[in-house]
């Protein structure tokens, strides 16, 4: 099941437990993403917590879970399989430039979560034009760019509009759903969303910017989540008018 690509991005909200999943789902998030913010940029939660998050969402949104930042091929396939077994709709996993150059490694990872695997590429790493096509050929269904260093620098600080657009266009050309994330704030939505003709990313991913005080290790702030949903929906209405 590959998520359809809407004219404007859908909202991904990363949560750390069932209580935050309830906030995100009740607020209207399109994708509730299970992630442990105290374990780095792409920290995996324990499978039991991920299962509780899936149960809390109760089908009101799609679900994904982060499988971590594996260094080698065997670990990549193993952590993807472990997270796929939790029953989430999608698995997100960091794929380093080295592993992205290994077609057999990518294919083995995709087989561990058929039609459910999303690669996360870090903006601080080398992003090659052929990355999306390689991932699609291996069986990935999506690719996101995120930031590895959660030091306050946002994705637009690290990746200019030209390179962001090139990435989302390359994903679209090979049938991958694309996503952009990385310390984004609500104010980034109009800048990153595109003009509504589908040229923007399929998802915009948030955590820190929707937490209390803008700190990703704090709790999710229901008012900020609701504001992000409202802004995306208002943008869709303006674009449709
Ligand atoms: O995919 C979304 C990420 O969880 C974004 O996290 P962040 O906003 O803390 O960088």
């Amino acid at each position: 099941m590959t998520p359809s690509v809407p004219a404007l991005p859908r909202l991904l909200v990363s949560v750390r437990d069932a209580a935050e999943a309830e906030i995100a789902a009740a607020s209207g998030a399109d994708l509730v993403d299970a992630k442990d913010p105290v374990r780095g940029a792409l920290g995996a939660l324990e499978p039991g917590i991920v299962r509780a998050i899936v149960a809390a969402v109760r089908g009101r949104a799609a679900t994904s879970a982060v499988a971590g930042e594996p260094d080698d091929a065997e670990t990549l396939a193993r952590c993807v399989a472990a997270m796929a077994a939790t029953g989430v709709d999608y698995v997100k996993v960091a794929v380093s430039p080295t592993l992205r150059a290994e077609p057999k490694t990518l294919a083995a990872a995709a087989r561990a979560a058929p039609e459910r695997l999303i690669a996360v590429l870090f903006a601080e790493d080398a992003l090659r034009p052929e990355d999306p096509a390689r991932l699609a050929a291996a069986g990935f269904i999506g690719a996101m760019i995120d930031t590895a260093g959660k030091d306050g620098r946002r994705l637009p600080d690290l990746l200019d509009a030209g390179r962001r657009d090139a990435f989302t266009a390359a994903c679209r050309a090979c049938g991958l759903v694309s996503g952009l994330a990385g310390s984004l704030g609500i104010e980034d939505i109009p800048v990153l969303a595109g003009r509504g003709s589908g040229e923007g990313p399929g998802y915009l991913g948030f955590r820190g910017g929707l937490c209390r005080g803008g700190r990703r290790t704090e709790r999710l702030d229901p008012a900020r989540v609701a504001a992000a949903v409202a802004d995306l929906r208002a943008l869709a209405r303006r674009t449709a008018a």
Side-chain angles (χ1 to χ4, degrees):
M1 174 185 78
T2 301
S4 61
V5 179
L8 280 171
R10 292 181 175 175
L11 178 66
L12 178 155
V13 179
S14 293
V15 302
R16 63 193 307 178
D17 56 33
E20 289 195 344
E22 173 59 31
I23 292 170
S27 300
D30 298 295
L31 179 54
V32 178
D33 175 57
K35 172 187 283 192
D36 188 343
V38 300
R39 286 183 174 176
L42 232 63
L45 288 166
E46 293 303 318
I49 297 174
V50 175
R51 288 191 184 90
I53 287 169
V54 173
V57 172
R58 297 199 316 272
R60 291 172 287 175
T63 58
S64 62
V66 167
E69 303 174 37
D71 292 326
D72 59 78
E74 189 275 334
T75 307
L76 173 61
R78 178 165 42 81
C79 67
V80 167
M83 207 47 78
T86 64
V88 288
D89 293 316
Y90 305 105
V91 177
K92 289 169 52 183
V93 67
V95 184
S96 67
T98 302
L99 295 180
R100 293 202 296 268
E102 299 175 6
K104 289 181 179 176
T105 296
L106 299 178
R111 284 194 300 272
E115 295 298 314
R116 299 162 63 194
L117 191 54
I118 296 170
V120 178
L121 292 62
F122 288 129
E124 295 91 336
D125 293 338
L127 298 171
R128 291 180 291 249
E130 64 271 21
D131 282 334
R134 281 182 171 173
L135 292 164
F140 284 69
I141 57 102
M144 288 191 72
I145 297 181
D146 198 340
T147 56
K150 302 300 181 185
D151 55 9
R153 288 183 298 165
R154 302 159 28 259
L155 179 64
D157 299 323
L158 298 174
L159 203 65
D160 64 28
R163 294 176 67 202
R164 297 194 304 264
D165 292 349
F167 171 75
T168 54
C171 287
R172 194 175 309 105
C174 58
L176 288 182
V177 175
S178 62
L180 298 176
S183 300
L184 299 180
I186 294 171
E187 68 279 5
D188 290 310
I189 289 176
V191 174
L192 298 179
R195 292 171 295 280
S197 56
E199 86 288 352
Y203 284 89
L204 290 179
F206 294 81
R207 178 163 177 88
L210 303 187
C211 286
R212 293 173 191 157
R215 290 185 296 276
R216 66 196 306 265
T217 53
E218 294 292 334
R219 301 296 292 174
L220 210 53
D221 179 346
R224 289 185 183 221
V225 179
V229 171
D231 279 11
L232 266 173
R233 287 181 179 165
L235 197 58
R237 284 194 298 273
R238 286 198 299 275
T239 304

